[in-house]
Amino acid sequence: MNNFEFNREIDIAWCPGCGNFGIRKALQKALQELGIEPAMTVLTSGIGQAAKMPQYVDTNFFNGLHGRGLPLAVAIKSVNPELTVIAEGGDGDMYGEGGNHFIHNIRRNPDITHLVHNNMIYGLTKGQGSPTSMPGLKTTVQIDGVINEPFNPLSVALSLGATFVARGFSGDMEQLTELIKAAITHKGYALLDIFQPCVSFNKTNTFKWYKENTYYLDSDHDPADLSKAFDLALKKDKYPLGILYKKEGLETFEEKTPVYRENKTPVIKRKRDISKVNNLL
Amino acid sequence: MKETLNIVLSGQAGQGLMTLESLLADVIRKEYYLFTSPEFMSRVRGGNNSVELVLSSEPIESWRKIIDILFVLGPESFVRMKPRLGKDTLVISESKFVSSDEQKDISFIELPLAELSKEAGGQIYGNTIIFGYICRLLGVSTDSARNSISRKFAKLKDDVIQKNLVAFDMGYDSLAKEASIKNISKVKNKPPTRVMDGSTAVGIGALAGGVNYLASYPMSPSTGVMMYLARKGKEFDVLVEQAEDEIAALNMVIGAWYAGARGLATTSGGGFALMCEALSLSGITETPCVIHLAQRPGPATGLPTRTEQGDLNLALYAGHGEFPRIILSPGNIKDAALLTSKAFRLADKYQVPVIILTDQYLLDSMSETEPFEFDESALESFVVETKSGYLRYDLSKGPISPRGIPGFGKGFVKADSDEHTEEGLITEDFDVRNSMNEKRLAKKALILQDYQDAQLYGPDDYDRLLVGFGSTYGVLKEYVETTDKKDTFLYLKQVYPLPETLKKYFEKAGEVVVVENNATGQLAALLKGELDIKVDHNILKYSGEPFSIEEIEDRIGGLS
């Protein structure tokens, strides 16, 4: 049995053909190839089809409330920086309900990985518009088509100073595995937005549509170039796949926070001296 | 009533009243027992703020309405304080703040503060002048007053200290001869006491309970605890993070507990309302959490800087679904410290949310209490090392499944906000749902074994039982200590869950009176609902002020 796999058949609640299956395989493969210890790994998530991922990967997890995967992740990582922490969810979960946490955790720069399955639709609630839905997309609620401008996670992340911003596609397991590995090994907050078809509710942004409307960044692209990364993030004709931006060497939240300035021991492993507390009286 | 002297300093926000209060407290405490309580408007400058200092020859923990000596230091002060003047109140003021007509009806002494301040070097010396003036008035030792000034301004330049000492003398010497105040005995051989405000007590209690993580969003009156732990963070290994909102704050605290930390979120009613969903998350995932809920008057923004006990129902019923919880309600600084420390142990032991319910009055008031110390009991950890195949929600161990944390042992810790199996995976099996729901709710009976006992003050053979929780403690205790009636006070420091054994106190009572700082009698309703207790009278106050001792005497007196 491989790490992060169950030693038994598990019942997976995703629709046949869902892009989530590819993402799950890529995640497990990335974790295995990096040799990460499952007991030292925590997946956090909110609610949604994507947020069910932790159920299907055999490791520690906290599947919390809708939109709240990131607050859990930043807290877990900061009280025990020895853990590998990955927050995972969908576009509605992470960019809609959890939008405020998305903004402010980029500012914090915790050393966590943020995987967002972006299928431009709400799946679990059966097909309403999501923050990333494209204008004109007809849904069960937006019956004449979506009228709002889509949320652009990549440009938002770049504008807030994120040090790792990438986009993958669930249809390319090989590239996605490499992108997840790069996101996990990046020191600091790493956003990986993952395009993914929703076979049940999004009949516009299909597997074929993603194939036709994306392209791979080639080796000429310099991920250290922030203004180039912005240009790429703002592109609407064809969407680039790969690492748009990566900056090394910035201090993480855990490194900057005062309790770790001089002492690297995780706070959960430190002992309280009651006599010192009594001195405060 | 006790022998007391009630001094009120009333001025504008930004005038430095808190500095003056702390200078005075230092010297007064050497010769008297002291209780102080500020009241302020929700603004950074102007308006009207005041500080009350109650001196007594005996330990004192309650607020009085009638002022003995009023210092009028701002244009709006006299009008706002007028309802609190008694027949003997001495008013000390610049003549411009109190009209000559008004001066005729009261004992008035002019203090030309602006003039004196100018002479001393500027307006900023005004407080030190008043400090000197009050020291003369009270006849306290000038040596200790001078030492306090040197200590308070130690970080400033020498000439600033010097100028303040000169200003102190100016105040001391300018006391008008005709000023005479009621005499209260000084305390001979005063035993050592612990002095602090409620926010500090909650903060120290949290440290004694092992807090090592705090995520909160600033909101009056809960922010004092956050600031205290931020100051102590490096020394005591507490990671303090200001969250982007209260929703994040409690989810972060829950994440921290899940990973093995002891987290605290401090907030007020509005922020707590945003935490309701996460409270429910703590309930179903059986992840402990501790929340300090500092009440202020609502609804919505209400009176941001005032006091109320209006959020008992919020604490009781917050969160969707059904799950156990513990609500502690300290009424004095010692209990604020001790119960806060215990909150962490109870949360860890029972894997439930624990709410420490305080209010603005308790948090901002400063009082003295007998010396006490913490032992290590609250630090006891209930976290277990996991083995391979670990089941987070193991049903074979009774209502409390041993709680592991990630990275400690070979097992995986799987926590889910959905209904879950013993392993922690999503299920819609109705039998499992029943088992898990029953397991969680069965904790209530176990929690009651750790009930934080109610305390009785007054005669055992009482006719009337007065019941209060939280910050009504001081005033009700003082009332029963001084009344000649057979009135006894039952102080509830844990309002939920309530044990059946409490009924014995009520069965003996001829009459039950519940006193609460809210408009609808939330405690009375809880006692009726949980223990079927018939409440004869409910004394309520909801203006945004605490009960004064005079008001309690009047209103209890008015019952019979």
Coordinates of all heavy atoms in Angstrom, one line a residue, chain A residues 6 8 38-40 42 47 55 58-65 68 71-72 75-76 78-79 100-101 104 108 253 257-259 267-268 270 272 274 276-278 280-281, chain B residues 194 207 211 213 228 235-239 241-245 247-248 251-252 255 258-261 372-374 376 406-407 412-417 423-426:
Chain A
F6 N -5.8 4.5 0.9 CA -6.5 3.7 1.9 C -6.1 2.2 1.6 O -5.9 1.9 0.4 CB -8.0 3.9 1.8 CG -8.4 5.2 2.5 CD1 -8.4 6.4 1.8 CD2 -8.9 5.2 3.8 CE1 -8.7 7.6 2.4 CE2 -9.3 6.4 4.4 CZ -9.2 7.6 3.7
R8 N -8.2 0.0 1.8 CA -9.5 -0.7 1.5 C -10.2 0.2 0.5 O -9.8 1.3 0.2 CB -10.4 -0.7 2.8 CG -10.6 0.7 3.4 CD -11.5 0.7 4.6 NE -12.1 2.0 4.9 CZ -11.6 2.8 5.8 NH1 -10.5 2.5 6.5 NH2 -12.1 4.0 5.9
P38 N 2.9 10.8 6.1 CA 1.4 11.1 6.3 C 1.1 11.5 7.7 O 0.2 12.4 7.9 CB 0.8 9.7 5.9 CG 1.7 9.0 5.1 CD 3.1 9.4 5.6
A39 N 1.7 11.0 8.7 CA 1.4 11.4 10.1 C 1.8 12.8 10.3 O 1.3 13.4 11.3 CB 2.1 10.4 11.0
M40 N 2.7 13.4 9.5 CA 3.1 14.8 9.7 C 2.4 15.7 8.7 O 2.9 16.8 8.5 CB 4.6 14.9 9.6 CG 5.4 14.2 10.6 SD 5.0 14.8 12.3 CE 5.8 16.4 12.2
V42 N -1.3 17.5 7.3 CA -2.7 17.8 7.6 C -3.3 18.5 6.4 O -2.8 19.4 5.8 CB -2.8 18.8 8.8 CG1 -4.3 19.1 9.1 CG2 -2.1 18.3 10.0
I47 N -16.3 23.4 2.6 CA -17.4 22.6 2.2 C -17.5 22.7 0.7 O -17.3 23.8 0.1 CB -18.7 23.0 2.9 CG1 -18.6 22.7 4.4 CG2 -19.9 22.3 2.3 CD1 -18.3 21.2 4.8
Q55 N -11.3 13.6 2.7 CA -11.9 12.3 3.0 C -11.2 11.1 2.3 O -11.3 10.0 2.7 CB -13.4 12.3 2.6 CG -14.2 13.4 3.2 CD -14.7 13.1 4.5 OE1 -15.0 11.9 4.8 NE2 -14.7 14.0 5.4
D58 N -5.5 9.3 2.8 CA -5.4 8.8 4.1 C -4.3 9.5 4.9 O -3.1 9.1 4.8 CB -5.1 7.2 4.0 CG -5.4 6.6 5.4 OD1 -6.2 7.1 6.2 OD2 -4.9 5.5 5.6
T59 N -4.7 10.5 5.6 CA -3.7 11.3 6.5 C -4.6 12.0 7.5 O -5.7 11.8 7.6 CB -2.9 12.2 5.5 OG1 -2.0 13.0 6.3 CG2 -3.8 13.2 4.8
N60 N -3.9 12.9 8.3 CA -4.7 13.8 9.2 C -5.5 14.8 8.4 O -5.0 15.3 7.4 CB -3.7 14.6 10.1 CG -2.8 13.7 10.9 OD1 -3.3 13.0 11.8 ND2 -1.5 13.7 10.6
F61 N -6.7 15.1 8.8 CA -7.4 16.2 8.2 C -8.4 16.9 9.1 O -8.8 16.3 10.1 CB -8.1 15.7 6.9 CG -9.3 14.9 7.1 CD1 -10.5 15.5 7.5 CD2 -9.3 13.5 6.8 CE1 -11.7 14.7 7.6 CE2 -10.4 12.7 7.0 CZ -11.6 13.3 7.4
F62 N -8.7 18.1 8.7 CA -9.8 18.8 9.4 C -10.7 19.4 8.3 O -10.3 20.3 7.7 CB -9.3 19.9 10.3 CG -10.3 20.4 11.3 CD1 -10.0 20.5 12.7 CD2 -11.6 20.8 11.0 CE1 -10.9 20.9 13.6 CE2 -12.5 21.2 11.9 CZ -12.2 21.3 13.2
N63 N -11.8 18.7 8.1 CA -12.8 19.2 7.1 C -13.8 20.1 7.9 O -14.7 19.6 8.5 CB -13.5 18.0 6.5 CG -14.6 18.3 5.5 OD1 -14.6 19.4 5.0 ND2 -15.5 17.4 5.3
G64 N -13.6 21.4 7.8 CA -14.3 22.3 8.6 C -15.5 22.9 8.0 O -16.3 22.2 7.3
L65 N -15.7 24.2 8.2 CA -16.9 24.9 7.7 C -16.7 25.5 6.3 O -15.5 25.8 5.9 CB -17.3 26.1 8.6 CG -17.6 25.7 10.1 CD1 -17.6 26.9 11.0 CD2 -19.0 25.0 10.1
R68 N -13.9 28.1 5.4 CA -13.0 28.3 6.5 C -11.8 27.4 6.5 O -11.2 27.1 7.6 CB -13.7 28.3 7.8 CG -15.1 28.9 7.9 CD -15.0 30.4 7.6 NE -16.4 30.9 7.4 CZ -16.7 32.0 6.7 NH1 -15.7 32.7 6.1 NH2 -17.9 32.4 6.5
P71 N -8.3 29.6 7.6 CA -8.1 29.9 9.0 C -7.6 28.7 9.8 O -6.7 28.8 10.6 CB -9.4 30.4 9.5 CG -10.1 30.9 8.4 CD -9.7 30.0 7.2
L72 N -8.2 27.5 9.5 CA -7.7 26.3 10.2 C -6.2 26.0 9.8 O -5.4 25.7 10.7 CB -8.5 25.1 9.7 CG -10.0 25.0 10.1 CD1 -10.7 23.9 9.4 CD2 -10.1 24.8 11.6
A75 N -3.6 28.4 11.4 CA -3.5 28.1 12.8 C -2.7 26.8 13.1 O -1.8 26.8 13.9 CB -4.8 28.1 13.5
I76 N -3.0 25.8 12.3 CA -2.4 24.5 12.6 C -0.9 24.6 12.3 O 0.0 24.2 13.0 CB -3.0 23.4 11.7 CG1 -4.5 23.1 12.1 CG2 -2.2 22.1 11.6 CD1 -5.3 22.4 11.2
S78 N 0.9 27.3 12.3 CA 1.7 28.2 13.2 C 1.9 27.6 14.6 O 2.8 28.0 15.2 CB 1.0 29.6 13.2 OG -0.3 29.5 13.8
V79 N 1.0 26.7 15.1 CA 1.3 26.2 16.4 C 2.2 25.0 16.3 O 2.8 24.6 17.3 CB 0.0 25.8 17.2 CG1 -0.8 27.0 17.4 CG2 -0.8 24.7 16.5
N100 N -12.4 36.7 2.4 CA -11.7 37.5 3.3 C -10.4 36.8 3.8 O -9.4 37.4 4.0 CB -12.6 37.9 4.5 CG -12.1 39.2 5.2 OD1 -11.4 40.0 4.5 ND2 -12.4 39.4 6.4
H101 N -10.6 35.5 4.1 CA -9.4 34.7 4.6 C -8.4 34.5 3.5 O -7.2 34.5 3.7 CB -9.9 33.3 5.1 CG -11.1 33.4 5.9 ND1 -11.2 34.3 7.0 CD2 -12.3 32.7 5.9 CE1 -12.4 34.1 7.6 NE2 -13.0 33.2 6.9
H104 N -6.4 37.8 3.4 CA -5.5 38.1 4.6 C -4.5 37.1 4.8 O -3.5 37.4 5.4 CB -6.4 38.4 5.8 CG -7.2 39.7 5.6 ND1 -6.5 40.9 5.7 CD2 -8.4 40.0 5.2 CE1 -7.4 41.9 5.5 NE2 -8.6 41.3 5.1
R108 N -0.4 37.3 5.3 CA 0.4 36.7 6.4 C 1.6 35.9 5.8 O 2.6 35.8 6.5 CB -0.5 35.7 7.1 CG -1.5 36.4 8.0 CD -2.2 35.3 9.0 NE -3.1 36.1 9.9 CZ -4.4 36.1 9.7 NH1 -5.0 35.5 8.6 NH2 -5.2 36.8 10.5
F253 N 5.0 33.7 7.8 CA 4.3 34.1 9.0 C 5.0 33.5 10.2 O 5.2 34.1 11.3 CB 2.9 33.7 8.9 CG 2.0 34.0 10.1 CD1 1.7 35.3 10.5 CD2 1.7 32.9 11.0 CE1 0.9 35.5 11.6 CE2 0.9 33.2 12.1 CZ 0.6 34.5 12.4
T257 N 6.5 35.8 13.3 CA 5.7 35.9 14.5 C 6.6 35.9 15.7 O 7.6 35.1 15.8 CB 4.5 34.9 14.5 OG1 3.6 35.4 15.4 CG2 5.0 33.5 14.9
P258 N 6.4 36.8 16.7 CA 7.4 37.0 17.8 C 7.7 35.7 18.5 O 8.9 35.5 18.9 CB 6.7 38.0 18.7 CG 5.8 38.8 17.8 CD 5.3 37.8 16.7
V259 N 6.8 34.8 18.7 CA 7.2 33.6 19.5 C 8.2 32.7 18.8 O 8.8 31.9 19.5 CB 6.0 32.6 19.9 CG1 5.1 33.2 21.0 CG2 5.1 32.3 18.7
V267 N 5.1 25.9 19.4 CA 4.6 26.4 20.7 C 3.9 25.2 21.4 O 3.9 25.2 22.7 CB 3.6 27.6 20.6 CG1 4.3 28.8 20.2 CG2 2.4 27.3 19.6
I268 N 3.4 24.2 20.7 CA 2.7 23.1 21.4 C 3.6 22.3 22.2 O 3.2 21.5 23.0 CB 1.8 22.3 20.4 CG1 2.7 21.6 19.4 CG2 0.7 23.0 19.8 CD1 2.1 20.4 18.7
R270 N 6.1 23.5 24.0 CA 6.8 24.3 25.1 C 5.9 24.1 26.4 O 4.7 24.0 26.3 CB 6.8 25.8 24.7 CG 7.6 26.0 23.4 CD 7.8 27.4 23.1 NE 8.2 27.7 21.8 CZ 8.4 28.9 21.2 NH1 8.2 30.0 21.9 NH2 8.7 29.0 19.9
R272 N 4.6 25.4 30.1 CA 4.3 26.7 30.9 C 4.8 26.5 32.3 O 4.6 25.4 32.9 CB 2.8 26.9 30.9 CG 2.2 28.0 31.7 CD 2.6 29.4 31.1 NE 2.6 29.5 29.7 CZ 1.6 29.8 28.9 NH1 0.4 30.0 29.4 NH2 1.7 29.9 27.6
I274 N 4.3 27.5 35.9 CA 3.2 28.1 36.7 C 3.8 29.1 37.7 O 3.2 30.1 38.0 CB 2.3 27.0 37.3 CG1 1.0 27.6 37.7 CG2 3.0 26.5 38.6 CD1 0.0 27.8 36.5
K276 N 6.1 31.2 37.2 CA 6.3 32.5 36.5 C 4.9 33.2 36.3 O 4.9 34.4 36.4 CB 6.8 32.2 35.0 CG 8.3 32.7 34.9 CD 8.8 32.3 33.5 CE 8.4 33.2 32.4 NZ 8.9 32.7 31.1
V277 N 3.9 32.4 36.1 CA 2.5 33.0 36.1 C 2.2 33.6 37.4 O 1.7 34.7 37.5 CB 1.5 32.0 35.6 CG1 0.1 32.6 35.6 CG2 1.8 31.3 34.3
N278 N 2.5 32.9 38.5 CA 2.2 33.4 39.8 C 2.9 34.7 40.1 O 2.5 35.5 40.9 CB 2.5 32.3 40.9 CG 1.3 31.3 41.0 OD1 0.2 31.6 40.8 ND2 1.7 30.0 41.2
L280 N 3.2 37.0 38.2 CA 2.4 38.2 37.7 C 1.4 38.7 38.7 O 0.9 39.8 38.6 CB 1.7 37.7 36.4 CG 2.5 37.3 35.2 CD1 1.6 36.7 34.2 CD2 3.2 38.5 34.7
L281 N 1.1 37.8 39.7 CA 0.1 38.2 40.7 C 0.8 39.2 41.7 O 0.1 39.9 42.4 CB -0.5 37.0 41.4 CG -1.3 36.0 40.5 CD1 -1.5 34.7 41.3 CD2 -2.6 36.6 40.1
Chain B
R194 N -4.0 41.4 46.3 CA -3.7 41.4 44.8 C -4.5 42.4 44.2 O -5.7 42.5 44.5 CB -4.0 40.0 44.2 CG -3.3 38.8 44.9 CD -1.9 38.7 44.3 NE -1.2 37.6 44.9 CZ -0.1 37.6 45.7 NH1 0.4 38.7 46.1 NH2 0.4 36.5 46.1
L207 N -3.1 32.4 31.1 CA -1.7 31.9 31.1 C -1.6 30.7 32.1 O -0.9 29.8 31.8 CB -0.8 33.0 31.6 CG -0.6 34.2 30.6 CD1 0.2 35.3 31.2 CD2 0.1 33.7 29.3
V211 N -2.7 28.8 28.0 CA -3.0 29.4 26.7 C -1.7 29.6 26.0 O -0.7 30.1 26.5 CB -3.8 30.8 26.8 CG1 -2.9 31.9 27.4 CG2 -4.3 31.2 25.5
Y213 N -2.0 30.2 22.3 CA -2.5 30.7 21.0 C -3.7 31.6 21.3 O -4.6 31.3 22.0 CB -2.9 29.6 20.1 CG -3.2 30.0 18.7 CD1 -2.2 30.1 17.8 CD2 -4.5 30.3 18.3 CE1 -2.5 30.5 16.5 CE2 -4.8 30.7 17.0 CZ -3.8 30.8 16.1 OH -4.1 31.2 14.8
Y228 N -3.3 42.4 26.7 CA -2.5 41.9 27.8 C -1.7 40.7 27.3 O -0.5 40.6 27.6 CB -3.4 41.4 29.0 CG -2.6 40.9 30.1 CD1 -2.0 41.8 31.0 CD2 -2.4 39.5 30.3 CE1 -1.2 41.3 32.1 CE2 -1.7 39.1 31.4 CZ -1.1 39.9 32.3 OH -0.3 39.5 33.3
E235 N 7.3 36.4 26.4 CA 7.8 35.8 27.7 C 7.1 34.5 28.0 O 7.7 33.6 28.6 CB 7.5 36.8 28.8 CG 8.1 36.5 30.1 CD 7.7 37.4 31.2 OE1 7.1 38.5 30.9 OE2 7.9 37.1 32.4
F236 N 5.8 34.3 27.6 CA 5.1 33.1 28.0 C 4.8 32.2 26.8 O 4.0 31.3 26.9 CB 3.8 33.5 28.7 CG 4.0 34.0 30.1 CD1 4.2 35.3 30.4 CD2 4.1 33.1 31.2 CE1 4.5 35.8 31.7 CE2 4.3 33.5 32.5 CZ 4.5 34.8 32.8
D237 N 5.4 32.4 25.7 CA 5.2 31.6 24.5 C 3.7 31.5 24.0 O 3.2 30.4 23.8 CB 5.7 30.1 24.8 CG 7.1 30.1 25.2 OD1 7.9 30.7 24.5 OD2 7.4 29.4 26.2
V238 N 3.1 32.7 23.9 CA 1.8 32.7 23.4 C 1.8 33.4 22.0 O 2.3 34.5 21.8 CB 0.8 33.6 24.3 CG1 -0.6 33.5 23.8 CG2 1.0 33.2 25.7
L239 N 1.3 32.6 21.0 CA 1.2 33.2 19.7 C 0.0 34.0 19.6 O -1.1 33.5 19.7 CB 1.3 32.0 18.6 CG 1.6 32.4 17.2 CD1 2.0 31.1 16.4 CD2 0.5 33.1 16.5
E241 N -2.4 36.5 17.4 CA -2.6 37.0 16.0 C -3.9 37.7 15.9 O -5.0 37.2 16.3 CB -2.5 35.8 15.0 CG -2.8 36.1 13.6 CD -1.8 37.1 12.9 OE1 -0.9 37.6 13.6 OE2 -2.0 37.5 11.7
Q242 N -3.9 38.9 15.3 CA -5.1 39.6 15.1 C -5.7 39.1 13.8 O -5.2 39.2 12.8 CB -4.8 41.1 15.0 CG -6.0 42.0 14.9 CD -5.7 43.4 14.9 OE1 -4.9 43.9 15.7 NE2 -6.4 44.2 14.1
A243 N -6.9 38.5 14.0 CA -7.6 37.9 12.8 C -8.2 38.9 12.0 O -8.5 40.0 12.4 CB -8.6 36.9 13.3
E244 N -8.6 38.5 10.7 CA -9.2 39.5 9.8 C -10.7 39.7 10.2 O -11.3 40.7 9.8 CB -9.1 39.0 8.4 CG -9.6 37.5 8.1 CD -8.5 36.5 8.3 OE1 -7.6 36.7 9.1 OE2 -8.6 35.4 7.6
D245 N -11.3 38.8 10.9 CA -12.6 39.0 11.4 C -12.9 37.9 12.5 O -12.0 37.0 12.7 CB -13.7 38.9 10.3 CG -13.6 37.6 9.4 OD1 -13.3 36.5 10.0 OD2 -13.7 37.7 8.2
I247 N -15.0 35.5 12.5 CA -15.2 34.2 11.9 C -13.9 33.5 11.8 O -13.7 32.3 12.2 CB -15.9 34.3 10.5 CG1 -17.3 34.9 10.7 CG2 -15.9 32.9 9.9 CD1 -17.9 35.2 9.3
A248 N -12.9 34.2 11.3 CA -11.5 33.6 11.2 C -11.0 33.3 12.6 O -10.4 32.3 12.8 CB -10.6 34.6 10.5
N251 N -12.4 30.1 14.1 CA -11.9 28.9 13.3 C -10.4 28.7 13.5 O -9.9 27.6 13.5 CB -12.2 29.1 11.8 CG -13.6 28.8 11.4 OD1 -14.0 27.6 11.3 ND2 -14.5 29.8 11.3
M252 N -9.6 29.8 13.6 CA -8.2 29.7 13.9 C -8.0 29.0 15.3 O -7.1 28.1 15.4 CB -7.5 31.0 13.8 CG -7.4 31.5 12.4 SD -7.1 33.3 12.3 CE -5.4 33.4 12.5
G255 N -8.6 25.4 15.0 CA -7.5 24.8 14.3 C -6.3 24.6 15.2 O -5.7 23.5 15.2
Y258 N -7.0 21.8 17.6 CA -6.9 20.5 16.9 C -5.4 20.0 16.8 O -5.1 18.9 16.9 CB -7.5 20.7 15.5 CG -7.1 19.6 14.5 CD1 -7.8 18.4 14.5 CD2 -6.1 19.8 13.5 CE1 -7.4 17.4 13.5 CE2 -5.8 18.9 12.6 CZ -6.4 17.6 12.6 OH -6.0 16.7 11.7
A259 N -4.6 21.0 16.6 CA -3.1 20.7 16.4 C -2.4 20.6 17.7 O -1.2 20.4 17.8 CB -2.5 21.7 15.5
G260 N -3.1 20.7 18.9 CA -2.5 20.5 20.1 C -2.2 21.7 21.0 O -1.7 21.7 22.1
A261 N -2.6 22.9 20.5 CA -2.4 24.1 21.3 C -3.6 24.4 22.2 O -4.6 23.6 22.2 CB -2.3 25.3 20.3
F372 N -3.8 35.0 46.2 CA -4.1 33.6 45.8 C -3.0 33.2 44.8 O -2.3 34.1 44.3 CB -5.5 33.5 45.2 CG -5.6 34.3 43.9 CD1 -5.5 33.7 42.7 CD2 -5.9 35.7 44.0 CE1 -5.7 34.4 41.5 CE2 -6.1 36.4 42.8 CZ -5.9 35.8 41.6
E373 N -2.9 31.9 44.6 CA -1.9 31.4 43.7 C -2.6 30.4 42.8 O -3.6 29.7 43.2 CB -0.7 30.8 44.4 CG 0.1 31.9 45.1 CD 1.6 31.5 45.1 OE1 1.8 30.3 45.4 OE2 2.4 32.3 44.8
F374 N -2.0 30.1 41.6 CA -2.4 29.0 40.8 C -1.6 27.8 41.1 O -0.4 27.9 41.4 CB -2.2 29.4 39.3 CG -3.0 30.6 38.8 CD1 -2.3 31.8 38.7 CD2 -4.3 30.5 38.5 CE1 -3.0 32.9 38.2 CE2 -5.0 31.6 38.0 CZ -4.4 32.8 37.9
E376 N -0.8 23.7 39.3 CA -0.6 23.3 38.0 C -1.8 22.5 37.4 O -1.8 22.1 36.3 CB 0.6 22.4 37.9 CG 1.9 23.2 38.1 CD 3.1 22.4 37.7 OE1 3.2 21.2 37.9 OE2 4.0 23.0 37.0
P406 N -2.3 15.7 15.3 CA -1.5 15.3 14.2 C 0.0 15.4 14.6 O 0.4 16.3 15.3 CB -1.8 16.3 13.1 CG -2.6 17.4 13.7 CD -3.2 16.9 15.0
G407 N 0.7 14.3 14.2 CA 2.2 14.3 14.4 C 2.6 13.7 15.8 O 3.8 13.6 16.1
F412 N -3.8 8.7 12.4 CA -4.3 9.9 11.7 C -5.5 10.5 12.5 O -6.3 9.8 12.9 CB -4.7 9.6 10.3 CG -3.6 9.0 9.5 CD1 -3.8 8.1 8.5 CD2 -2.2 9.4 9.6 CE1 -2.8 7.5 7.7 CE2 -1.2 8.9 8.9 CZ -1.5 7.9 7.9
V413 N -5.4 11.8 12.7 CA -6.5 12.5 13.4 C -7.4 13.1 12.3 O -7.1 14.1 11.7 CB -6.0 13.5 14.3 CG1 -7.1 14.1 15.2 CG2 -4.9 12.9 15.3
K414 N -8.6 12.5 12.2 CA -9.6 13.0 11.2 C -10.8 13.7 11.8 O -11.5 13.0 12.5 CB -10.0 11.8 10.3 CG -8.8 11.1 9.7 CD -9.2 10.0 8.7 CE -7.9 9.4 8.1 NZ -8.2 8.5 7.0
A415 N -10.9 15.0 11.6 CA -12.0 15.7 12.2 C -12.9 16.2 11.1 O -12.5 16.8 10.1 CB -11.4 16.9 13.0
D416 N -14.2 16.0 11.3 CA -15.1 16.4 10.2 C -16.3 17.1 10.7 O -17.0 16.7 11.7 CB -15.6 15.2 9.4 CG -15.9 15.5 8.0 OD1 -16.8 16.3 7.8 OD2 -15.2 15.1 7.1
S417 N -16.7 18.2 10.0 CA -17.9 19.0 10.4 C -19.2 18.3 10.0 O -20.3 18.7 10.4 CB -17.8 20.4 9.8 OG -17.9 20.3 8.4
E423 N -14.0 6.8 12.7 CA -12.7 7.2 12.1 C -12.7 8.7 11.8 O -11.6 9.3 11.8 CB -12.5 6.4 10.8 CG -11.1 6.7 10.2 CD -11.0 5.9 8.9 OE1 -11.8 5.1 8.5 OE2 -9.9 6.1 8.2
G424 N -13.9 9.3 11.6 CA -14.0 10.7 11.3 C -14.3 11.0 9.9 O -14.1 12.1 9.3
L425 N -14.9 10.0 9.2 CA -15.3 10.1 7.8 C -16.8 10.4 7.7 O -17.5 9.9 8.5 CB -14.9 8.9 7.0 CG -13.4 8.6 6.9 CD1 -13.2 7.3 6.1 CD2 -12.6 9.7 6.3
I426 N -17.2 11.1 6.6 CA -18.6 11.5 6.5 C -19.5 10.3 6.4 O -19.1 9.3 5.7 CB -18.7 12.3 5.1 CG1 -18.0 13.6 5.3 CG2 -20.2 12.5 4.8 CD1 -18.0 14.5 4.0

